[in-house]
Amino acid sequence: MLFRSKIKGFEPTEIKQIQNSGYFDTILVEADGARGKPIKAPAEYEPVIPINTDIVAGIVGMDCIGTTINRQNVHRPEIFTRITDSVNGSVIEKSIVIKLLTSPEGIFKNTSPKSRKIVIFNKSDTKYRILKATEIAEGISKYIGIERFLITSMTGNDPVMAVIKL
């Protein structure tokens, strides 16, 4: 039986101490969960990203494309609709995902200008989802500082299907 429980997180000063300890080459911090939904909007207090973070990965489940904006498919739909200028009950299309990725209140909110930004389009396990992920990546201008996009499906033998660099 699988039990899921949360453990206490670390304060930013504690993360800095761990980083300075020299014991670890890489530290991975989950700053903002989506409660199992493919797409979400951050609350006012999220994400909590340590200031010295090297890389911030924004993750979008591509199974969100074509679904309805509601509590079943979107974590915090009331914030999501405000950020993306959409309406509860409407269909999630690539333009809505682009707005979430490019909005200062969206996925990369609270990211330090020093941090590198990447987007992971997970659950890209159909040709249609791969096409939509590619179109979203191509629809985002370089000005927002996203370094690259990964098109992935973590259930396959080769999880990274494509890397798009800007």
Side-chain angles (χ1 to χ4, degrees), residues 75-130:
H75 185 43
R76 298 199 182 94
E78 63 286 348
I79 300 172
F80 182 87
T81 54
R82 181 179 51 78
I83 291 171
T84 61
D85 194 29
S86 58
V87 178
N88 200 32
S90 61
V91 174
I92 300 174
E93 299 175 352
K94 65 182 183 179
S95 61
I96 290 175
V97 176
I98 289 171
K99 286 180 183 178
L100 183 68
L101 290 169
T102 58
S103 169
E105 297 301 311
I107 285 181
F108 291 107
K109 184 176 102 176
N110 298 337
T111 298
S112 166
K114 296 177 185 178
S115 300
R116 295 165 49 202
K117 293 188 261 184
I118 65 170
V119 174
I120 300 173
F121 293 117
N122 194 31
K123 301 180 195 171
S124 298
D125 45 10
T126 66
K127 288 181 181 181
Y128 177 76
R129 290 179 183 171
I130 292 169

Side-chain angles (χ1 to χ4, degrees), residues 7 26 46 48 59 62 113 120 127 130 140:
I7 60 172
T26 303
E46 294 177 319
V48 180
I59 302 174
M62 289 306 293
I120 300 173
K127 288 181 181 181
I130 292 169
I140 294 178

Side-chain angles (χ1 to χ4, degrees), residues 16-105:
K16 185 69 173 167
Q17 287 175 332
I18 293 168
Q19 186 180 32
N20 289 339
S21 74
Y23 290 125
F24 303 97
D25 295 327
T26 303
I27 300 169
L28 181 64
V29 177
E30 180 189 359
D32 197 7
R35 301 212 178 211
K37 308 292 191 321
I39 197 162
K40 75 161 290 180
E44 184 178 315
Y45 55 88
E46 294 177 319
V48 180
I49 301 172
I51 192 72
N52 56 332
T53 299
D54 295 321
I55 300 171
V56 175
I59 302 174
V60 175
M62 289 306 293
D63 54 338
C64 74
I65 297 293
T67 63
T68 303
I69 298 173
N70 58 32
R71 292 198 183 282
Q72 181 181 351
N73 301 316
V74 178
H75 185 43
R76 298 199 182 94
E78 63 286 348
I79 300 172
F80 182 87
T81 54
R82 181 179 51 78
I83 291 171
T84 61
D85 194 29
S86 58
V87 178
N88 200 32
S90 61
V91 174
I92 300 174
E93 299 175 352
K94 65 182 183 179
S95 61
I96 290 175
V97 176
I98 289 171
K99 286 180 183 178
L100 183 68
L101 290 169
T102 58
S103 169
E105 297 301 311

